[in-house]
Every structure is written in C-alpha cells, then in structure tokens.
Amino acid sequence: MIVKLKPELKSYLWGGKNLKKSFNKKCEEGVISESWELSFHPDGPSLIASGRDFGKPLYKVATRRDWGKNCSRFEYFPVLNKLIDSAQPLSVQVHPSDEFALKHEGQFGKSEMWHILSAQKGAHIYLGLNQNLSKRDFYDAVTDGVICDCLNRIPVTAGQTFFIPSGTVHAIGAGITLFEVQQNSSLTYRIFDYNRRDGLGNLRPLHLNKAIRAVNLKKFTPPKALYGELLGRCKYFSAYLFSGQKTVGMDNSFVSVTVLDGDILLGELHLCKGETAFLSAGERAKILGGGSYIATCVE
C-alpha cells in the first residue's frame, strides 16, 4: 500500500496562520496549531486520500504486516507525526516516561523530536532544567511564576533538530514552525501556562501534582542541535531529511514521507509541500523532483 494521507487539523489558542499560508492547510478555524500528518491516534486519525480506500482511517486499513516486523514489539502503532505552528508560546509541560504512564495512566508515555522549519528573529525553546531542583523548589518556582528562569532557554533557527526525552520539561516558544515526530501518545502534563485564559475566559487546567512526580529534576544539558540526514533515532522512530531523487521503502518497517519544501513525485503520487504519504513495509517507490522531505520509520 502506497497512499496519500489527509491530516487531522487542530486549533488551539496558541496557533497561527503559517500552516495555512506556507503549507496549504485548509481549515474553517481562524488558526491551525497542529496538523497530524501520520496518526493512528483516536483523537485525530489520518484518513487515506488516494486509491481504493479513499476516505477511510489509515488505522482501520493498515495491518501489522503493513507496519512491518520492526514494529512487532509494540502493542500500538509507535509513531505520531505533526506539523506545529506556534504564534504564541506553548505551555511549559512534561511528558511522562513509559514506566510512569503505564503505572498511573494505563497508556504509554512520550519522547519526541523537533525539527525547526522556520523561526522568527529571537525565537527560542525551553528544554530541561538549568539546575538541580528539589520537588519543593520546583513546586515553588511554578507557583511563583518563575519556572522559566529555571529552564534552558535555547535560541533556534531553521534546520536545527532537538530530541526531547520523556520526563524533560520543555516548551516551544512563539514564532516557530516545526515538524514533530513523537511516540503515539497524547499524555501531556501542563505545568505553567503564563496565566492565559481560553475563549470562555477560563484559565487552562494545570497538572502540577502529576508533573512533579514525572519530571526529571536534575540539571539537563541539552545536546547540540543536529544537522544532516539523520535527524533523530530512538526505539520508537527514526527520522531522516532528504531532498531530490531517492528510492524509499523498507522490508521491515513502514515509511512515511512528508514534503517540507517544493513538490515531489513518489511513485505515482504527486505530493506538494505539507503533504504526507504512507508506504507499507515491503513497498518501494522512487522519488523524483527537487523537493525536500522527512522520511520516518522504525529501525
């Protein structure tokens, strides 16, 4: 199976218009915060947008054989890929580890990777604590509104890639568009939200009591931003950045392809900037054209 996908679009108060403007995403909402490009998650499944299964959710059509043998160790499809546009900063948050999440939530945790596509001047992310903290210190920093002073503030530019292990407190700053590869999980513990209110005037809920048990309270030294073809690898996913002509496909894993710039011809599928295709394990397809694209798989 080689099919084009229709993403699930999400609108949150921090989203912007760059996914509409630059990635041709269409939505009645004023802003698009996230475009779930490859998703087996029930909160926003990808739909098949080509071929005989047009309109069906990918998770209902793709079998474990389509996932590939490298995914056999997982109880669920391991990957969720997103385009994210942050016109405003996202909340300071943490994702629990598998061990914590399985024990307390009955689902898996989340590690993730960010590849920066564009960043306004002065844009930054927060990634990990810049000092060791006790639980009491962490709690006080949050309630006093100074938690960001305890975090590594990292200026970002297009082309950088960052891996965020589960348990690492983090936040995407304003003015950033990025491609995220993550575990297939929706577990997020919101720690601090700048005292923002939603459209109804309500403060968004925080999850500090859970977060303080899941967060890594040790000083975190952010790894250097990665450049080059291999963007990131862990047991749940690998992600590669390619451009131009290439043959893609693997015997033991699915491959997803998301176009970041220009357009490509993947086999018989024409993909424009911001479009994604799914290849079952064992499929091969030649890519033609000058566009750049991210390929994800499980190795």
Side-chain angles (χ1 to χ4, degrees):
M1 168 170 62
I2 303 177
V3 293
K4 184 184 291 190
L5 300 180
K6 178 182 178 182
E8 173 77 8
L9 303 179
K10 303 289 187 179
S11 180
Y12 307 121
L13 59 81
W14 46 263
K17 298 184 177 180
N18 198 37
L19 296 185
K20 286 184 176 181
K21 179 181 177 181
S22 298
F23 290 87
N24 198 35
K25 303 298 180 181
K26 295 179 173 60
C27 179
E28 294 182 359
E29 300 287 346
V31 301
I32 301 175
S33 307
E34 299 181 348
S35 178
W36 292 21
E37 293 295 312
L38 172 67
S39 172
F40 282 63
H41 198 282
D43 290 347
S46 301
L47 303 181
I48 294 175
S50 65
R52 65 182 183 183
D53 292 311
F54 182 92
K56 295 180 180 179
L58 178 63
Y59 76 87
K60 288 189 175 182
V61 176
T63 66
R64 282 193 166 268
R65 179 174 292 182
D66 294 310
W67 300 9
K69 291 182 179 179
N70 291 351
C71 297
S72 62
R73 61 184 180 269
F74 302 118
E75 297 178 22
Y76 62 101
F77 189 79
V79 183
L80 174 58
N81 292 346
K82 302 176 180 179
L83 288 164
I84 295 178
D85 177 23
S86 61
Q88 301 179 42
L90 276 68
S91 61
V92 178
Q93 56 191 245
V94 68
H95 307 305
S97 66
D98 284 347
E99 182 181 8
F100 184 95
L102 286 168
K103 181 177 180 180
H104 298 284
E105 304 284 2
Q107 58 177 304
F108 287 86
K110 187 198 297 186
S111 293
E112 61 191 25
M113 183 206 82
W114 297 338
H115 179 67
I116 309 298
L117 302 177
S118 65
Q120 296 177 4
K121 185 177 180 179
H124 64 274
I125 61 172
Y126 290 114
L127 185 54
L129 294 173
N130 59 24
Q131 57 191 286
N132 294 326
L133 292 180
S134 67
K135 288 185 177 181
R136 181 77 253 175
D137 291 338
F138 184 83
Y139 183 89
D140 289 344
V142 173
T143 55
D144 292 343
V146 296
I147 186 60
C148 291
D149 294 338
C150 303
L151 305 178
N152 294 303
R153 185 181 186 275
I154 304 173
V156 296
T157 58
Q160 293 177 308
T161 304
F162 301 90
F163 188 82
I164 300 93
S166 62
T168 305
V169 61
H170 61 275
I172 301 171
I176 298 171
T177 302
L178 60 81
F179 186 81
E180 178 178 278
V181 186
Q182 61 161 85
Q183 282 182 254
N184 185 12
S185 170
S186 61
L187 268 181
T188 297
Y189 297 152
R190 192 180 295 127
I191 297 169
F192 180 70
D193 197 42
Y194 314 99
N195 298 316
R196 289 185 293 199
R197 297 182 182 270
D198 62 20
L200 299 176
N202 299 314
L203 292 169
R204 295 205 295 172
L206 303 178
H207 316 103
L208 183 54
N209 289 335
K210 288 184 177 180
I212 206 166
R213 296 158 62 199
V215 70
N216 179 1
L217 292 170
K218 294 181 179 180
K219 180 179 179 180
F220 181 80
T221 302
K224 292 183 179 180
L226 298 178
Y227 296 87
E229 287 190 347
L230 176 61
L231 300 179
R233 178 188 288 144
C234 65
K235 69 178 183 178
Y236 300 101
F237 58 78
S238 294
Y240 294 86
L241 176 64
F242 299 120
S243 62
Q245 182 172 318
K246 189 174 183 63
T247 298
V248 294
M250 294 177 61
D251 290 335
N252 295 324
S253 174
F254 74 92
V255 175
S256 71
V257 174
T258 300
V259 181
L260 302 182
D261 190 48
D263 60 0
I264 63 173
L265 187 66
L266 188 155
E268 297 181 353
L269 292 179
H270 179 245
L271 299 178
C272 299
K273 181 178 179 179
E275 292 188 317
T276 296
F278 176 88
L279 292 79
S280 299
E283 294 281 6
R284 295 285 193 281
K286 180 174 286 189
I287 292 179
L288 301 175
S292 61
Y293 45 94
I294 285 182
T296 61
C297 59
V298 174
E299 294 182 307

